[in-house]
Amino acid sequence: MEPARTEPADQEPDIRARPPLVREFLLVAGLFLAYKFGRRAANGHVEEAFRNAGNVWDLERALHLPGEGAVQGLLLHSETLVHAANTYYAAVHFPATALFLIWLYWRRPGHYVRSRRVLAALTAAALALHLLFPLAPPRMLPAAGLVDTGQIYGPTVYGQTPATDTMANQFAAMPSLHVGWAVMVAVGLIAATRSRWRWLWLLHPAITLLVVVGTANHYWLDAVVAVALLAVALAAFRPPRGARTASVQPSRPGAWGNTAPLPLPAYATAADAGPGPHARPRAGAVR
C-alpha cells in the first residue's frame, strides 16, 4: 500500500519565500516579550475582574451553555488525568506554537509569513482585550464552585496569590490564547500539508479546549471570543486570489516554470516531436 502523502505537491520548499532567519527570530521574540510585559502591565483591577467574571458566568447560564464543572468533574475521577491536563495546559501551549512556526519557516515558507502575521494580530487583539476587560477565571469565582486543579494537583504556572503574581496576569481569562493559538496551529498545518491524516491536527484545539475548561482556567466564552478574533485575523491576512488558486494546483511535469518535459506518446514520430529534447533520431542517424 502506498504510504499517505505528508507533503504538498511542491515537495521542496521555495527558499526564495523564506524571510531572513535572524530578522524573524528577533521579530517573534520581540512580539513574545511585548505580550508578556503587556500582560504584566495589565495586572491589578481585581474588583473589576471579579465583577466581569460574574457577568460572564450569568451570560453563559442565560445562553444555556454547559457548566464548566461538567468537564472538571470528568477530570476529577482520576488524579492521573487531572495531572495530565495540568501538564498539557502548562507545557504544550508555547512549545507547540513555536514548533509550528519553525516547521513552517523551514518546510513551508510560503505559509509561514501569513501564519506569523495572523498569530501576531490575534495576540495583539487579545492583549488589548485583557487591558479593556479584565476577567477572573472560573477557578476564582465562588459561584462556579470549581477547584483550582493546578494548585491542588499540580503542576501550575501561576502563583498562589493572583493579585501579587509577578510572573503572569491571572485576570486575563478572555480571550483564551491557549485555544486561539491551538486552532491556528491546526488550521495552518491542515493548509500546509496534504496527508489524508492532516485533519487529526484538530485534536490539538479540541484537547486544549477541554483542558482549559476542565482545569477552570477559562470559560467557554473565552474560547468563543478567541476563535472569533482568529477568524477576523485570518480574513484580514487572506492571501490574494491568484496565490490561493496557484497553491492548490498540483504541479505537473512540463507546466510553466518547470523544465521537466512532458512524456512523448508512443505513437509520436520524430516530426511530431520537432526540435528539442523530445526529438527521436531518424533511422541511421548518429547517436
Side-chain angles (χ1 to χ4, degrees), residues 57 60-61 63-71 213 218-221:
W57 181 261
E60 287 191 340
R61 307 292 76 80
L63 295 174
H64 302 290
L65 293 177
E68 286 80 356
V71 180
V213 172
H218 287 284
Y219 305 89
W220 294 111
L221 286 179

Side-chain angles (χ1 to χ4, degrees), residues 131-153:
L131 293 168
L132 296 172
F133 191 77
L135 180 65
R139 56 187 166 83
M140 298 182 190
L141 188 64
L146 302 174
V147 300
D148 188 340
T149 61
Q151 294 294 341
I152 296 175
Y153 298 96

Side-chain angles (χ1 to χ4, degrees), residues 129-225:
L129 194 52
H130 294 162
L131 293 168
L132 296 172
F133 191 77
L135 180 65
R139 56 187 166 83
M140 298 182 190
L141 188 64
L146 302 174
V147 300
D148 188 340
T149 61
Q151 294 294 341
I152 296 175
Y153 298 96
T156 183
V157 296
Y158 299 121
Q160 291 186 351
T161 309
T164 59
D165 190 349
T166 59
M167 297 302 295
N169 179 9
Q170 298 193 41
F171 300 107
M174 181 178 289
S176 169
L177 278 181
H178 274 73
V179 173
W181 286 11
V183 173
M184 182 59 213
V185 168
V187 169
L189 289 174
I190 289 171
T193 58
R194 292 295 179 268
S195 169
R196 71 185 67 178
W197 304 106
R198 67 187 184 278
W199 297 101
L200 291 178
W201 287 114
L202 291 173
L203 288 175
H204 176 44
I207 294 173
T208 300
L209 175 61
L210 294 178
V211 163
V212 301
V213 172
T215 57
N217 283 295
H218 287 284
Y219 305 89
W220 294 111
L221 286 179
D222 297 341
V224 172
V225 172

Side-chain angles (χ1 to χ4, degrees), residues 18 25 75 86 104 118 140 142 179 194 199 212 235 253 260 262-263 269:
R18 189 180 291 155
F25 176 79
L75 296 181
N86 290 333
L104 283 184
V118 169
M140 298 182 190
V179 173
R194 292 295 179 268
W199 297 101
V212 301
L262 287 168
T269 65

